[in-house]
Amino acid sequence: MAAADRFKLFRIRGGVHPQDRKQLSAEQAIEPLPLPPLLHIPLQQHIGAPAEPLVRRGDLVKKGALLAASQGAISAPVHAPTSGRIMGVGGYPAHHASGLSVRTITLKPDGQDEWIDTLDPVVEPFNLPPDEIARRVAEAGIVGMGGATFPSAVKLNLRNRYRLHTLVINGAECEPYLTCDDRLMREQPEQVLDGVLLMARALGVERILLAIENNKPAAQAAMGEAAQAHAWVTVVGLPTRYPMGSEKHLVQTLTGQETPARGLTADIGVVVHNVATALAVHEALRHGRPLISRVMTVSGGAIRTPRNLRVPLGTPLSYLVDYCGGFVREPSRLVSGGPMMGQPLPSTRVPAVKGSNGLLALTDEEVRADREMPCIRCASCVQACPCGLVPLEMAAHIRAGSLDGSVKLGLLDCIGCGSCAYVCPSHIPLSHYFNYAKGELAARQRAQHKQNETKRLAEARSLRLEAAKKAKRAAMLKRKQEQQAKQAKSAEAALSETSQ
Ligand code: SF4
Ligand code: SF4
């Protein structure tokens, strides 16, 4: 293993130093959460098309059974987190700020927690061809577990289209409060590394960088020790500065290269995966187990005992809160993920999903609820932005209803890190404006797409009708001609009979 302290890092612009508050849960070892009375397993826990259910009310399933199949290239299947009976497939509140109802499978655990007998572990997974590793990762329903939820197999297949040289494992975990990746690296370094090496084999890269922020010395040491026998693996200590875990900024810090605007890190030969994803790959290949649980940090000032828990997917978040001793006081805000980029949640009724790395219950003091004031043009937001944007101007355009103006200023390059809002002395919720504007643009694009599709279908229909009309006319003409020919023939025959 190359020495971490000799690795050259590159400076990136912007960023902030929020109080990390990781001490609340950093020393809490991962505990398995007991099964709740009911699991609510959404069919869409990933970016892409929702999975299609294969079970019905009343079906008995075993742990790890396929409940819903992936649909199309960007999708992921869903498996049973335990054995039990399917209570139904229907609407249930989404793990999302809207809390709107989404298609969900409800499973009542039978308490046996009995695995399916068709688990397919691989004795020597390093002998598998790269595409077979990716296929098994797809079958296991693994998605990016750092929160992105992009189906991991799609990224593992990038070698077919790009010249890749480096796999970066994102162990930065730069959001305040979150400690689940830190604990995984400290508690299961060999298993994490095994998954990392398998992903590197699938990608065909020649070097691996395990990038871990310097505020996690125990994780750096554990991963360093695990990787000692592998000269092509380097554990790199990163400066503690938010948003160090942002994929493109991480790659720039490590390689000095900028990812092209709206491009992929694969454009510069690098693929990034998360620590928890690596562990899931290990589980899938070595034990044949699909992704049915994940480690989450439950923290924040309103939680009685912050913890790191291994949570069966589909567990209602209220069950996690109860396991942590409940609330010490009513939280001012519930957040899925970290406080900077996480999603506000409407209630703890929603279920844990593949992308949930944390549940935060924050108090008034932890949530900056100060009254919004006018912009004083101090430019602090400009200095903090890691993407070189001008947040105050973008927000002004959005406030004035000019989405196009904000796009011209780079709205689509904004990674939603919240650094600008964090430093703003006027407490202007800048990143909320940007999230709102991106949502509006997406809705506008969807509407445009729908309009184009309706137009295309209408044009195709009128072409079809026109072609059918033409064919009908041609057939009628042909029939008429045939009839006329027949009549002429009979007239000829009659004439010849009379003349004889
Ligand atoms: S940090 Fe806030 S007050 Fe300062 S320029 Fe930006 S928006 Fe205005
Ligand atoms: S939220 Fe967007 S605009 Fe604000 S600092 Fe982050 S990248 Fe820049």
Side-chain angles (χ1 to χ4, degrees):
M1 187 197 65
D5 52 3
R6 274 189 276 125
F7 194 89
K8 177 174 164 32
L9 294 174
F10 297 84
R11 275 184 71 84
I12 53 165
R13 63 168 88 84
V16 291
H17 283 285
Q19 269 195 1
D20 73 14
R21 299 183 204 263
K22 290 180 188 274
Q23 73 284 358
L24 291 174
S25 60
E27 295 315 314
Q28 300 290 328
I30 298 167
E31 294 172 58
L33 182 73
L35 284 164
L38 282 178
L39 291 162
H40 302 281
I41 308 145
L43 292 171
Q44 182 151 30
Q45 303 182 46
H46 53 269
I47 288 176
E52 195 54 34
L54 302 172
V55 289
R56 283 188 305 188
R57 182 185 167 88
D59 286 355
L60 291 173
V61 295
K62 290 203 176 155
K63 185 174 180 174
L66 183 64
L67 298 182
S70 62
Q71 297 297 302
I74 315 253
S75 184
V78 172
H79 301 79
T82 186
S83 53
R85 187 180 292 278
I86 302 296
M87 304 305 287
V89 183
Y92 192 79
H95 185 110
H96 183 261
S98 69
L100 286 172
S101 182
V102 287
R103 269 187 109 196
T104 300
I105 295 173
T106 298
L107 170 64
K108 185 174 170 52
D110 60 9
Q112 305 300 310
D113 207 28
E114 194 184 341
W115 280 100
I116 43 168
D117 45 21
T118 49
L119 287 183
D120 189 16
V122 187
V123 179
E124 194 29 271
F126 286 97
N127 289 341
L128 291 177
D131 53 353
E132 179 59 16
I133 295 177
R135 192 188 67 74
R136 282 173 179 261
V137 167
E139 263 185 18
I142 300 172
V143 303
M145 292 169 73
T149 69
F150 194 80
S152 302
V154 179
K155 267 173 132 185
L156 291 183
N157 277 324
L158 287 175
R159 72 183 180 288
N160 297 325
R161 290 191 288 130
Y162 296 88
R163 277 200 56 199
L164 305 173
H165 49 76
T166 303
L167 167 62
V168 170
I169 296 300
N170 189 347
E173 196 164 47
C174 60
E175 281 261 16
Y177 295 93
L178 301 184
T179 55
C180 51
D181 285 355
D182 182 16
R183 290 308 312 186
L184 276 181
M185 290 186 282
R186 286 158 75 176
E187 295 181 36
Q188 294 186 272
E190 281 88 14
Q191 290 88 339
V192 169
L193 183 73
D194 188 59
V196 170
L197 296 172
L198 284 164
M199 290 201 281
R201 171 159 175 80
L203 291 164
V205 293
E206 65 246 23
R207 78 169 172 166
I208 298 172
L209 302 176
L210 302 176
I212 306 169
E213 270 192 324
N214 289 334
N215 59 358
K216 302 175 192 66
Q220 287 180 354
M223 290 310 301
E225 204 180 316
Q228 223 153 29
H230 304 275
W232 59 312
V233 181
T234 308
V235 175
V236 183
L238 299 168
T240 306
R241 186 166 178 78
Y242 178 85
M244 194 46 85
S246 142
E247 189 166 297
K248 290 176 183 175
H249 295 95
L250 178 60
V251 170
Q252 197 184 349
T253 305
L254 294 169
T255 66
Q257 282 183 280
E258 242 179 282
T259 305
R262 265 150 270 155
L264 299 176
T265 57
D267 287 314
I268 52 172
V270 185
V271 172
V272 183
H273 279 285
N274 166 266
V275 168
T277 313
L279 185 67
V281 170
H282 161 85
E283 288 283 321
L285 273 291
R286 293 280 179 186
H287 306 290
R289 293 179 187 156
L291 179 57
I292 54 170
S293 69
R294 69 152 301 142
V295 177
M296 288 177 69
T297 300
V298 184
S299 190
I303 289 282
R304 189 170 305 276
T305 317
R307 285 193 156 108
N308 288 299
L309 302 172
R310 179 159 283 284
V311 180
L313 299 176
T315 304
L317 299 184
S318 54
Y319 199 71
L320 279 68
V321 173
D322 290 347
Y323 188 78
C324 293
F327 294 132
V328 277
R329 64 180 128 149
E330 201 48 40
S332 172
R333 187 180 296 167
L334 290 168
V335 181
S336 167
M340 304 291 283
M341 291 183 88
Q343 287 253 6
L345 288 175
S347 80
T348 53
R349 199 177 158 220
V350 302
V353 290
K354 294 178 184 181
S356 358
N357 48 4
L359 167 64
L360 305 184
L362 303 175
T363 59
D364 280 343
E365 298 84 68
E366 291 170 302
V367 176
R368 289 195 339 152
D370 310 61
R371 202 164 50 83
E372 185 179 333
M373 287 179 295
C375 171
I376 54 168
R377 303 190 77 81
C378 63
S380 301
C381 55
V382 181
Q383 278 155 24
C385 180
C387 299
L389 303 173
V390 190
L392 75 156
E393 296 292 353
M394 289 201 311
H397 276 276
I398 294 164
R399 264 201 297 251
S402 167
L403 287 188
D404 293 334
S406 67
V407 170
K408 275 193 199 132
L409 287 171
L411 175 71
L412 297 178
D413 293 322
C414 164
I415 57 168
C417 67
S419 300
C420 50
Y422 179 81
V423 296
C424 177
S426 296
H427 311 298
I428 300 171
L430 293 157
S431 45
H432 290 192
Y433 282 113
F434 308 145
N435 288 340
Y436 156 80
K438 284 184 218 164
E440 285 294 299
L441 283 173
R444 201 200 263 181
Q445 263 172 2
R446 277 198 299 275
Q448 185 64 49
H449 178 75
K450 206 168 159 189
Q451 212 176 12
N452 292 347
E453 194 58 7
T454 312
K455 200 171 154 202
R456 189 185 66 77
L457 289 174
E459 280 170 2
R461 184 166 182 271
S462 74
L463 283 175
R464 262 200 326 274
L465 289 177
E466 190 53 40
K469 254 191 221 164
K470 258 191 200 164
K472 203 171 163 187
R473 271 202 302 270
M476 272 171 59
L477 193 67
K478 196 174 163 204
R479 263 204 310 279
K480 203 170 164 189
Q481 283 168 344
E482 281 169 357
Q483 244 170 15
Q484 282 171 345
K486 217 165 149 187
Q487 280 167 357
K489 218 169 171 186
S490 340
E492 251 174 53
L495 192 64
S496 99
E497 265 175 33
T498 4
S499 59
Q500 274 170 9

